[in-house]
Amino acid sequence: MTVTQTPSTAQEPRDDLREHVRDAARRSKRAAAELALLNRGTKDRLLHAMADALVRRAPEVLEANERDIAAGRESGLSEALIDRLTLNTGRIESMADGLRTVAGLPDPVGEVLRGQVLPNGLQLRQVRVPLGVVGMVYEGRPNVTVDAAGLALKSGNSALLRGSSSAARSNDAEVRILRDVLAEFDLPLDAVQLLPSEDRASVQHLITARGLVDVVIPRGGAGLIQAVVENATVPAIETGVGNCHVYVDRAADQDTALEVLVNSKARRPSVCNSAETFLVHSEIADEFLPRALAALAEAGVTVHGDERVRATGGEDVVPATEEDWDAEYLSLDIAAKVVDSLDDAVEHIREHSSAHTEAIVSADYRATQRFTAQVDAAAVMVNASTAFTDGGEFGMGAEIGISTQKLHARGPMALPELTSTKWIAYGDGHVRPTGS
Amino acid sequence: MTVTQTPSTAQEPRDDLREHVRDAARRSKRAAAELALLNRGTKDRLLHAMADALVRRAPEVLEANERDIAAGRESGLSEALIDRLTLNTGRIESMADGLRTVAGLPDPVGEVLRGQVLPNGLQLRQVRVPLGVVGMVYEGRPNVTVDAAGLALKSGNSALLRGSSSAARSNDAEVRILRDVLAEFDLPLDAVQLLPSEDRASVQHLITARGLVDVVIPRGGAGLIQAVVENATVPAIETGVGNCHVYVDRAADQDTALEVLVNSKARRPSVCNSAETFLVHSEIADEFLPRALAALAEAGVTVHGDERVRATGGEDVVPATEEDWDAEYLSLDIAAKVVDSLDDAVEHIREHSSAHTEAIVSADYRATQRFTAQVDAAAVMVNASTAFTDGGEFGMGAEIGISTQKLHARGPMALPELTSTKWIAYGDGHVRPTGS
C-alpha cells in the first residue's frame, strides 16, 4: 500500500497512519522470518558492527540530538526531561558497549528446553524460537532505541520501535545507522523500524495490530504502561512500576536493616527498584525508628509516617495519607508504618504492593521463610537491598524491562524472555489410533 | 459488599453483576494466597477426595444434568450441543479419573528453575509459584468445570469458572461437591467458584477484573476465544483454533503420507488438532493425488481443491475459494492445493496457519530441517499425524487447553503452564554500591 503524502480530507491522515503502522508491522513480520534463521555468529558480528558504526557516526547522532534538545527547550520541556533526552559521546559509547555485551551473551534461540521419546517412539522436543515482532513503546530516552534493537536482534526478533516525539530526530539518526549496518550484512532493513511519533495515534495502531505484532513492551512511567496494557489487543508485558517495601522484622540486625533501608531508598530514587515504603515491627520500633529516621534524614529523605512513626519522629515526619501507601514516589520520599507482626506486614504488602520487589531484614529463619513464601512479587530480597532487582545485577547482561506481571516473564527480562517455544516431533509415519 | 437481590432500577442489575464478579474475584484472590502454601501431599489427597465425592454423589450431578438437557431441548439446542452437554456415569467416572491423574503428576510449585551465587555473594534462585486466580471461560461441556478446577488446585491456583448457561445446573452441582470437599479439608471454599452465567455480561466483568484475576483462559469455539482475547484487560491466553496443514513433500514416502494425511483429518475431525488443508508438491501430485483423493473419499472426507487438484479429482472435488484456505472446518472437509516447492508450502502456511500444528511428510533430511525451522507454529510434526498435539499424548498427563499464542505458553498447557515464577535472593546485608 502507498501512504498518501497529501491527505485531502480530515479523515484520511488517521486512516493513513493506521495503514502505515500496519504496513510497517507486516514488513517487520517478513523480516522476522529471516532473522529467526540467523545463527549466533552472524548476529554477534552484526551487533559488533552496529556498535562500531554508532561510535564512528556519533557526530550524526549528536547533531540530531542537539536539534531534539533545542526543540525540547523551545516547547518548555523540564530540565529533568532534557537531561533524559541528552546524548553525549560517553552515552553513545555506553550504547555501543551495551550492544557488545549483548553480542557476548548466549543465543537463546535453538535451546532445547525439554525433550523425550514418547512411549510410541515419537521423538519430542521443545525448542526456543524468537517471538517474531517485538513492539516497544517508550519515552524520551534515545538509548532505549539501541538497547531494544540489540536485544531484539540477538534473540532473532524484529524491533518495531515507537519512541517519544521529543527524541524523534535522535532515534531516527540511530535507526538510520543500525539499518545501514543491516544493509551491509544483506539483512532486511525492516528488522529495525521506527514508527512515526508526531501523532499519538501510532501507539494505538501498534498495540492493536493483532496477528502482526507478537508482543508489545511499554517502557516508561506508570501512565504510559497502564495506557498500553489496558488498550493493547496485542499481548503486552506490564513493566516497571515499583512500589517496593522494606520490612524490618523484630529479629532484624539493626545495623543491617539501616544499611539495606537507606540503600533501597536513596541509592537511586528515580528507578523502579527503589523502596517506597518501610514497615517496622512494633517490638523494635522504639529503638530502630530514631536511628532509621536519622539515617534517612541524613540521606536527604522525607519520611511520610503513620501515627506511630510520627510519635517518634515528631514534626520531621510528614503525616501519611492513604495515598502514600500506594505512591511510587521515585523521589527522596518514603512512607513508613509500624506493624505489629510479620502477618500485618505481609497483609500491608499484599494490599499495596505493585509486585515488583519486596525485602525483609531479619535474622529469624522462620520469619524469612514465611516472608518469601507469602509475599507475591517478582523478586523477594532477604537481608539485601531492593536495588538488586536488575538484569545486569542478576547476571543477565542486559535488560529490556522488568516485568511486574505473572504471565510469560516475571522480573528482569533479557534474551530468553524475548523468545517463545516450538514443539517439534520426529516420527516415522506415526498416526494416532482412533479413540485414543 | 452485598448483592442486591431485587434491583429496583434497570441500571442496577448490571452494576450489581459487576460488583458480584469482582467480589468473587477478590475472594478468589484471598483463597489463592492460602492455596499457594499447600504442599503436594495435601493437594493430592484433596483431588482424590474430590474424585471419590464426584463418583459417590454422581446422582446429584446426573439429576442436575437432566434438567439442563430438558431446558436445552426446550430452547432448541442442536443434538450436537445436547451431546456435548450430556453426562452419564461413564463421563463422571472419567472426570474423577482425570482428577486422580492430576494428583499423580509432579507438583510444579516450588521447582527451582535457575539459581546461582552472584559475584557479590547474593544467592539468587528463581522458583515456580502459582499464578493466583485462574479465570476460565468455556462453553457447554460440564467436564471442563472439574478438569479446570483440578488443574488449577494442583498448581496452587484458585479457579474462577464461567461456564455456559446451558450447563449451569450441572456445573453448579459439580462445584457444590468440590466445595464440600474443600470444606472437609478446612480449605477456603472460594478456591473454586462458579460465576453466574445467565447474563453474558459476567464474562466481560471477569476478563476486565485487572489486578484481581491473574489469567483468563477461554476454551471453546473461535468466536468465544476471539471475544475473550480482544476484550480482556486481564492477561489472556489464546487457545485452540487450529487451521492445521499437512504438507506432502516431493520426497515423501507416499504410503506414509496417505496414513498421516487421513489420520490427521479423519481421526477426530471436530478437534483443533485435526488437519484442515493439505498441500502436495507438484512433482508427485500426479501419482499421489489420485491415491489421496480415494483414501479421503473412503474416510468420508469432502475435498475442496484448487484447480490443479480438481484436474485430477474432477467433479468429486469441490472448487476451493479463498475462504477455504482459512477455514477451520472441524468436519469431514479438507482443503487441498498443489504447490511447486517447499518454499511455496511454507509461504502458504505462513499466510493461513493459525500456528497450532503443521506437518511435513518427507524422506528428505534437508526438507524436514527447513520445514521445522521455517514454519512458525506451536507444534511441527515430521512424518507424524497432527493429531499428536495434545497434553495427554505429550506426556503432560492432562491439559487445560492448547495455546496458539507465543507469550507465556505455546502448545498444550498443563500444570507448569499454570504457574509463574518468583526470584528470591538471600543476602547478608547486601547493598548495591552507588553508581553501579
Side-chain angles (χ1 to χ4, degrees):
Chain A
M1 64 125 271
T2 314
V3 179
T4 309
Q5 299 294 329
T6 49
S8 57
T9 75
Q11 186 50 39
E12 270 184 49
R14 183 156 287 244
D15 288 350
D16 277 356
L17 184 59
R18 179 170 183 277
E19 259 320 300
H20 178 78
V21 170
R22 294 182 67 85
D23 186 52
R26 270 186 286 267
R27 287 184 282 115
S28 198
K29 193 176 176 179
R30 276 196 293 276
E34 273 189 65
L35 295 174
L37 303 177
L38 295 183
N39 59 37
R40 173 170 179 181
T42 307
K43 291 190 280 194
D44 291 353
R45 282 192 298 278
L46 175 72
L47 293 182
H48 278 287
M50 286 177 163
D52 295 345
L54 272 175
V55 173
R56 198 175 60 241
R57 295 170 59 179
E60 285 174 49
V61 179
L62 292 175
E63 188 272 332
N65 189 244
E66 273 167 30
R67 286 189 290 132
D68 277 336
I69 293 167
R73 290 203 195 283
E74 200 156 311
S75 67
L77 228 51
S78 73
E79 275 312 304
L81 291 178
I82 292 284
D83 177 61
R84 235 166 56 165
L85 177 59
T86 303
L87 293 176
N88 52 41
T89 314
R91 286 185 176 180
I92 291 177
E93 293 276 3
S94 337
M95 291 195 282
D97 283 344
L99 290 176
R100 293 185 187 109
T101 302
V102 172
L105 296 173
D107 188 343
V109 175
E111 188 191 349
V112 179
L113 295 174
R114 291 187 262 184
Q116 59 175 321
V117 181
L118 299 180
N120 60 11
L122 204 58
Q123 293 181 49
L124 185 66
R125 58 200 69 169
Q126 186 186 33
V127 298
R128 275 199 196 283
V129 297
L131 282 170
V133 177
V134 174
M136 288 285 302
V137 180
Y138 52 104
E139 294 177 342
R141 295 185 196 271
N143 62 305
V144 175
T145 307
V146 173
D147 293 355
L151 285 163
L153 291 172
K154 176 72 183 238
S155 47
N157 297 293
S158 290
L160 196 51
L161 306 165
R162 205 299 194 171
S164 162
S165 60
S166 67
R169 299 167 188 87
S170 313
N171 290 338
D172 194 57
E174 289 168 10
V175 166
R176 210 163 47 229
I177 294 169
L178 301 181
R179 287 165 64 103
D180 285 350
V181 181
L182 283 166
E184 281 168 34
F185 277 71
D186 228 4
L187 290 170
L189 302 193
D190 292 327
V192 179
Q193 290 184 75
L194 186 67
L195 292 173
S197 56
E198 63 275 13
D199 187 338
R200 277 180 164 282
S202 61
V203 173
Q204 186 63 21
H205 299 319
L206 171 63
I207 69 180
T208 54
R210 252 192 102 72
L212 299 174
V213 176
D214 294 288
V215 62
V216 64
I217 303 173
R219 197 164 155 179
L224 169 77
I225 292 163
Q226 279 308 309
V228 167
V229 169
E230 287 180 7
N231 295 305
T233 57
V234 163
I237 294 180
E238 191 165 356
T239 61
V241 175
N243 181 17
C244 306
H245 299 72
V246 174
Y247 165 59
V248 180
D249 187 46
R250 65 175 167 190
D253 175 273
Q254 295 197 19
D255 293 340
T256 299
L258 280 181
E259 284 187 56
V260 167
L261 172 59
V262 173
N263 186 260
S264 294
K265 174 70 254 182
R267 195 194 73 95
R268 233 183 120 190
S270 65
V271 295
C272 58
N273 61 25
S274 70
E276 307 293 12
T277 298
F278 80 95
L279 304 168
V280 57
H281 196 290
S282 52
E283 281 182 33
I284 63 157
D286 283 349
E287 193 185 341
F288 181 72
L289 265 181
R291 298 181 64 191
L293 296 176
L296 288 165
E298 198 181 328
V301 177
T302 302
V303 175
H304 305 246
D306 72 349
E307 275 183 31
R308 293 204 272 181
V309 174
R310 294 184 71 221
T312 300
E315 292 301 302
D316 292 341
V317 175
V318 178
T321 63
E322 269 307 307
E323 284 71 47
D324 282 295
W325 311 126
D326 294 312
E328 191 192 20
Y329 298 114
L330 296 175
S331 60
L332 283 169
D333 291 83
I334 195 165
K337 184 176 183 171
V338 175
V339 293
D340 289 319
S341 64
L342 186 142
D343 284 341
D344 284 358
V346 168
E347 190 52 41
H348 179 95
I349 290 170
R350 189 166 284 158
E351 204 169 319
H352 300 286
S353 166
S354 66
H356 187 295
T357 303
E358 308 300 348
I360 179 173
V361 183
S362 180
D364 175 356
Y365 174 78
R366 289 196 65 202
T368 62
Q369 292 294 103
R370 282 176 52 209
F371 190 86
T372 54
Q374 292 182 15
V375 165
D376 190 24
V380 181
M381 299 288 161
V382 178
N383 297 320
S385 170
T386 57
F388 286 110
T389 303
D390 172 272
E393 291 294 316
F394 277 16
M396 295 174 174
E399 137 189 329
I400 203 160
I402 294 180
S403 163
T404 53
Q405 69 176 39
K406 295 192 197 171
L407 234 57
H408 185 68
R410 201 176 193 201
M413 293 189 293
L415 295 175
E417 290 74 21
L418 290 175
T419 64
S420 180
T421 59
K422 183 196 282 187
W423 290 99
I424 303 178
Y426 295 93
D428 187 19
H430 282 69
V431 294
R432 189 169 164 193
T434 309
S436 73
Chain B
M1 66 125 266
T2 315
V3 179
T4 309
Q5 297 294 330
T6 48
S8 58
T9 74
Q11 186 50 40
E12 268 183 52
R14 182 157 287 242
D15 288 350
D16 276 356
L17 184 59
R18 179 170 183 277
E19 260 319 300
H20 177 79
V21 170
R22 294 182 67 86
D23 185 53
R26 270 187 287 267
R27 286 185 281 115
S28 198
K29 193 176 175 178
R30 276 196 294 275
E34 273 189 65
L35 295 174
L37 302 178
L38 295 183
N39 60 36
R40 174 170 179 181
T42 308
K43 291 189 282 194
D44 292 353
R45 281 192 299 276
L46 175 71
L47 294 182
H48 277 288
M50 285 177 163
D52 295 345
L54 272 174
V55 173
R56 199 177 56 241
R57 295 170 60 179
E60 287 174 47
V61 179
L62 292 175
E63 188 272 332
N65 188 244
E66 271 169 30
R67 286 189 291 132
D68 276 337
I69 293 167
R73 290 205 194 281
E74 200 155 311
S75 66
L77 227 52
S78 72
E79 275 313 303
L81 291 179
I82 292 284
D83 177 61
R84 236 165 56 164
L85 177 59
T86 303
L87 293 176
N88 51 41
T89 313
R91 285 184 177 182
I92 291 178
E93 293 275 4
S94 353
M95 291 195 279
D97 283 345
L99 290 177
R100 294 185 186 110
T101 301
V102 172
L105 296 173
D107 188 343
V109 176
E111 188 189 351
V112 179
L113 294 174
R114 289 187 264 185
Q116 59 175 319
V117 181
L118 299 180
N120 60 12
L122 204 59
Q123 295 181 47
L124 185 66
R125 59 201 68 169
Q126 186 186 33
V127 299
R128 273 199 199 283
V129 296
L131 281 170
V133 177
V134 174
M136 288 286 304
V137 179
Y138 51 104
E139 294 176 341
R141 294 185 197 270
N143 62 307
V144 175
T145 307
V146 172
D147 293 355
L151 285 163
L153 291 172
K154 175 72 184 238
S155 48
N157 297 293
S158 291
L160 197 52
L161 307 165
R162 205 297 194 174
S164 163
S165 60
S166 67
R169 297 167 190 86
S170 313
N171 290 337
D172 194 57
E174 289 167 10
V175 166
R176 209 163 46 229
I177 293 169
L178 300 182
R179 285 164 66 103
D180 286 350
V181 180
L182 283 166
E184 281 167 35
F185 277 72
D186 226 4
L187 290 171
L189 301 193
D190 292 328
V192 179
Q193 290 183 75
L194 186 67
L195 293 173
S197 57
E198 64 276 13
D199 186 339
R200 277 180 163 281
S202 61
V203 173
Q204 186 63 19
H205 299 318
L206 171 64
I207 68 179
T208 55
R210 252 191 103 70
L212 299 175
V213 176
D214 293 288
V215 63
V216 63
I217 304 173
R219 198 163 156 178
L224 169 77
I225 292 163
Q226 279 308 307
V228 167
V229 169
E230 287 180 9
N231 295 306
T233 59
V234 163
I237 295 180
E238 191 165 355
T239 60
V241 176
N243 181 15
C244 306
H245 298 73
V246 174
Y247 166 59
V248 180
D249 187 46
R250 66 174 165 190
D253 175 274
Q254 294 198 20
D255 292 340
T256 299
L258 280 181
E259 283 187 56
V260 167
L261 173 59
V262 173
N263 186 261
S264 296
K265 174 69 255 181
R267 194 194 75 95
R268 232 183 120 191
S270 65
V271 295
C272 58
N273 62 23
S274 70
E276 306 293 11
T277 298
F278 79 96
L279 305 168
V280 57
H281 195 291
S282 53
E283 280 182 33
I284 63 158
D286 282 350
E287 194 184 340
F288 181 72
L289 265 181
R291 296 182 64 192
L293 296 176
L296 288 166
E298 197 181 328
V301 177
T302 302
V303 175
H304 304 247
D306 73 350
E307 275 184 30
R308 294 205 271 180
V309 173
R310 295 184 70 220
T312 299
E315 292 300 302
D316 293 340
V317 175
V318 179
T321 64
E322 270 307 305
E323 285 70 48
D324 282 295
W325 311 126
D326 294 312
E328 190 192 21
Y329 298 114
L330 297 174
S331 60
L332 284 169
D333 291 83
I334 195 164
K337 185 177 181 171
V338 175
V339 292
D340 289 319
S341 64
L342 185 143
D343 284 342
D344 284 359
V346 168
E347 190 52 41
H348 179 95
I349 290 170
R350 189 166 286 157
E351 205 170 318
H352 301 285
S353 166
S354 64
H356 187 297
T357 302
E358 307 301 347
I360 179 173
V361 182
S362 179
D364 175 356
Y365 174 78
R366 291 197 63 204
T368 62
Q369 292 294 103
R370 284 175 53 209
F371 190 85
T372 54
Q374 292 181 16
V375 166
D376 190 24
V380 182
M381 299 288 160
V382 179
N383 297 320
S385 169
T386 58
F388 286 110
T389 303
D390 173 272
E393 291 294 315
F394 276 18
M396 295 173 173
E399 139 189 327
I400 202 160
I402 294 179
S403 163
T404 53
Q405 69 177 39
K406 294 191 197 175
L407 234 56
H408 185 70
R410 201 175 193 201
M413 292 189 294
L415 295 175
E417 289 74 21
L418 289 176
T419 65
S420 180
T421 59
K422 182 196 280 187
W423 289 100
I424 303 178
Y426 296 93
D428 186 18
H430 282 69
V431 295
R432 191 170 163 192
T434 310
S436 74

